[in-house]
Structures are given as C-alpha cells and as structure tokens.
Amino acid sequence: MSTPATKPTEPAASTAVARPRRMRRGLGWVVIALLVVGAALLIMQISASTTVPFRGGGDPDGTGDNGMLALTEILREQDIEVEVVRTRADAVAAIHDDTTLAMTDPFALSDEAVTDLLEPADRVVLLSTSTRMLDLLELGEPTSASTSAAVTASCDLPELARVGEIRPGRMFVPAAGVTGCYPDAEGNAALLVDDTDGRRVAMIDGTRLFGNSYLAEDGNAALGLALLGQTGHVVWYVPSIADGDVEAQTEPSLGELTPQWVTPAIVMLMLAGIAAAVWRGRRFGPLVAETLPVTVRASETMHGRARLTAKAADAGHAGAALRDGAVRRLARRLGLHDRAGAAEVADAVADRLRIPRTGVQNLLNGALPVTDDALIDHARRLADLESAVDHALRTERGTR
C-alpha cells in the first residue's frame, strides 16, 4: 500500500523585507523634521537680522489710518517741498530761513537736544500732544478735556480765516501771551500758537486731525495746509529711539538678560518634541467627533447679565445700556457715521420726524433713570422712538 505524496510546505514569509521598509519610513520622518526645524531657525535668523522701518502714527510716509502720507502729498501738490528726515543732524542741516519744522513728540530726545533742534527754525509745528513739550516751550498746561463738537478758529491768525470748522481731540489751557485757537465752551484751546522770541511755535493734536483716515473730514486738510504751507519748504522730522540721546536710561532687553545656553536648550527641546511626535504620533487612531453633553444658548449670557443688573438695582447702568444701543441702531438706520454722538443722532431723528429737538435730546442725551419705574418708562420711550423712525423710513421708501 503506497503512502500519499506529501505536499511540499511553502517557506514562511520573511520579515527581512518589512524591516528595511519601516527603517526607510522612519528615516523619512526624521529628515522632514530636520528640514522643518532648519527652516524655522532660518526664518528666525532672517527676522532678527532684518530691520524694517516702522511707519506708525504721525509718520509722513505712513499709509495706515494714523499715518500722514495724504497730508504730505497734498503739500507737495501745492508746490511745497517736503523733506522727510529721521535724524537730528539731517534736520538741523536741512533747516534754512524759509523752512517750517514739523514733528511729533520727540520722546527719545533730552531737553537739551530738543532745544538744539528747534533753535535754527523760525516756524515749528508740533503735531502731537506732550506735557513735557508744553512745559519746555511754556505753551500752556494739559487738560483732560476733549471735544468732538465742531469748533471754529476764533482767533486773529489770518491763515486760519478760511479753514472752517474742525472736530479736535485733545485740548489745552493756553499760557499767558500764547494764542489759543479753536476754543471750547470752557475756554480750552485745540491749537496753541506762540509768536514770542521772533519764532512761531504751534502745537495741535495732529494725530487726531491729520491722519489718513481723518484728513478728509471737516476742515482738517485746510488746517494742515494753513499750518505747514506758509513756507515753501517743510522739514518733517520723525523721532525714533535710534536717534535718541538717552540710551543710558534704557533698561536691558529680555534678550540681553537671557543666558546664552537658553537658545540651544530650546532648539533641543523642539527636536525632542518632534522626535516624540513622530515616534508616538502614529500609534493614535483617527479623531472621533463627539457632541457636547450640554448645549449653551447665547441668550443665557444676556439673561445672566440682566439678572445681575436687576440684583444690583442699578437702573442708571441699565438705562445707559438701553440708550447706547438705541443710539447705535438709530445712527445706522439714518446713515450716520460710526462715531456719531448722541447729540448728532438726536438732531437727525428730530429732522426726520419733524418733531422738537428738545424732547429727543433729553431722551438720547439727557439724565439717566434712577428708579425702576423711570427705567421702564425710559425703555418704552426709546422703543417708541425707534418704531417711529422705522415707520418714517418705510413711508419714504414707499413714496419713491
């Protein structure tokens, strides 16, 4: 009896082929991590070694909202030479008899350096507020008052005769012998002009009036021309820390206080973190989306604040919140600008509804309620006013 032929057994799959594949895959991850770290270090080095000049507020070459490039271009269109300098030496060298020196607050200069800078100039225009400059030049005193209402020059300077109204920011108290222009109801002035000692020095909050985003409002552009366009040459000095003379008073930076071994240690930690992520990261499975056990409605925040206000019995605070919201909504519906105040909105509402201004002014800009009953009545009147404006607007659209 013959025995059946045995089937030859297949050789077991060897792991010798899979092991090099895993090694190559791991080596690829390491190379990628090293490239990422190298690129990050290169970017950090380039950023640290490259100095880009900052064109911030008050800079005549600044294109941002607070830059003054628009005013600079307007002066040049009037055939006025505007020379932008960024060092004291260049500023003094550029000043001659028919020159106006313009600058913002020279924060990095000492009093002696400021005096030396202003000495050769016959006309100086300071375009920012500075308590130190007020005291140094004896122009007046600072005040916390500010106004957004339109004011006129109300002074005898002929170059301001055709400027018109402006809406200044910071106000000052003029010193004796100093002319104050654009005053408010309390006598504070937005523009200080001193003509003593054979030199004219003017100070105004230029960052509020002559910034690129504000220059087209009211008579701001005309005022800028009146202050800087009286001579054919303007030297515009841009202060900077690099041009300062008070280096001894500066404190050491964080980089100077950091030991030298910190940077290599941070790089080693980054490498260790990347290696750990490559080593352990592939063991995790895919992300699983889970719903939150609790759904929080946005209205709960509003109700919570309302309960806090009611518990505190602060009717005035609640009335102010209601009135602020009503003013913003009315301004948006009437097409007013974002910075429109309550008085301006009240005038626009009175004109649209053809009702007396006094009642609307008292509602939107008057005293706040102090009791709960007064608060309820205040809220009802605000709602009725908004409804009336909405009805008037719908009626106007329907008749067109």
Side-chain angles (χ1 to χ4, degrees):
M1 184 175 180
S2 61
T3 60
T6 59
K7 186 178 180 179
T9 59
E10 297 180 358
S14 175
T15 59
V17 179
R19 187 177 296 109
R21 292 179 180 175
R22 288 197 298 267
M23 293 179 62
R24 286 196 299 269
R25 189 180 296 112
L27 182 61
W29 281 104
V30 173
V31 172
I32 293 175
L34 292 177
L35 289 176
V36 171
V37 173
L41 293 177
L42 181 61
I43 293 173
M44 292 172 60
Q45 183 177 2
I46 293 175
S47 301
S49 60
T50 304
T51 56
V52 179
F54 175 68
R55 301 290 185 259
D59 194 300
D61 293 331
T63 57
D65 292 343
N66 294 325
M68 296 187 184
L69 180 61
L71 178 58
T72 304
E73 294 301 324
I74 291 177
L75 291 171
R76 288 170 176 163
E77 290 176 358
Q78 301 297 320
D79 296 329
I80 299 173
E81 180 185 1
V82 180
E83 187 173 354
V84 179
V85 296
R86 301 185 182 274
T87 63
R88 289 173 291 154
D90 293 342
V92 173
I95 295 174
H96 51 74
D97 294 338
D98 191 24
T99 298
T100 298
L101 175 62
M103 63 179 177
T104 54
D105 179 22
F107 59 92
L109 300 182
S110 62
D111 293 349
E112 294 77 8
V114 172
T115 302
D116 295 340
L117 175 62
L118 302 184
E119 184 176 359
D122 293 332
R123 298 179 67 92
V124 179
V125 179
L126 299 172
L127 298 174
S128 63
T129 61
S130 170
T131 303
R132 182 178 72 117
M133 295 301 295
L134 285 171
D135 296 337
L136 181 62
L137 301 177
E138 298 180 353
L139 295 176
E141 299 178 358
T143 177
S144 58
S146 62
T147 179
S148 59
V151 294
T152 57
S154 302
C155 59
D156 297 332
L157 299 181
E159 59 266 30
L160 303 181
R162 297 183 179 181
V163 170
E165 296 181 341
I166 65 170
R167 298 177 186 273
R170 183 77 179 274
M171 308 294 286
F172 311 97
V173 178
V178 176
T179 302
C181 300
Y182 299 99
D184 60 8
E186 288 75 20
N188 303 314
L191 172 63
L192 301 180
V193 180
D194 183 15
D195 290 325
T196 59
D197 300 331
R199 177 180 64 186
R200 167 164 290 187
V201 178
M203 173 180 281
I204 194 169
D205 187 4
T207 55
R208 171 62 182 84
L209 296 172
F210 305 140
N212 295 329
S213 60
Y214 306 111
L215 191 62
E217 297 178 359
D218 302 313
N220 296 353
L223 178 59
L225 284 174
L227 294 177
L228 300 176
Q230 299 303 311
T231 61
H233 183 218
V234 175
V235 174
W236 201 314
Y237 170 64
V238 182
S240 63
I241 297 177
D243 190 48
D245 61 338
V246 290
E247 291 86 352
Q249 300 179 4
T250 59
E251 298 181 357
S253 63
L254 181 60
E256 296 174 350
L257 296 175
T258 304
Q260 297 182 354
W261 56 266
V262 172
T263 300
I266 293 176
V267 174
M268 291 181 63
L269 289 175
M270 290 175 59
L271 292 174
I274 294 175
V278 173
W279 173 45
R280 300 292 296 179
R282 296 180 67 248
R283 293 175 178 258
F284 294 103
L287 296 177
V288 178
E290 295 183 1
T291 58
L292 292 176
V294 178
T295 301
V296 180
R297 293 178 296 179
S299 60
E300 292 189 7
T301 303
M302 178 184 67
H303 291 299
R305 292 180 178 177
R307 284 192 293 268
L308 290 175
T309 304
K311 185 177 180 180
D314 191 357
H317 184 273
L322 292 174
R323 187 165 67 183
D324 290 343
V327 168
R328 287 195 298 269
R329 290 189 295 271
L330 289 171
R332 185 167 56 251
R333 292 167 184 167
L334 296 174
L336 302 178
H337 54 84
D338 295 337
R339 297 192 304 274
E344 185 176 353
V345 174
D347 291 340
V349 170
D351 293 339
R352 184 59 59 91
L353 299 179
R354 298 180 181 179
I355 59 177
R357 300 175 183 270
T358 304
V360 184
Q361 287 282 357
N362 292 335
L363 179 60
L364 297 182
N365 202 25
L368 294 171
V370 295
T371 62
D372 292 343
D373 294 338
L375 176 61
I376 295 173
D377 180 67
H378 185 69
R380 184 181 298 110
R381 292 174 60 192
L382 289 174
D384 293 342
L385 184 64
E386 292 189 53
S387 299
V389 171
D390 289 340
H391 179 71
L393 293 176
R394 287 194 298 270
T395 302
E396 291 180 1
R397 295 192 190 101
T399 56
R400 291 179 183 176

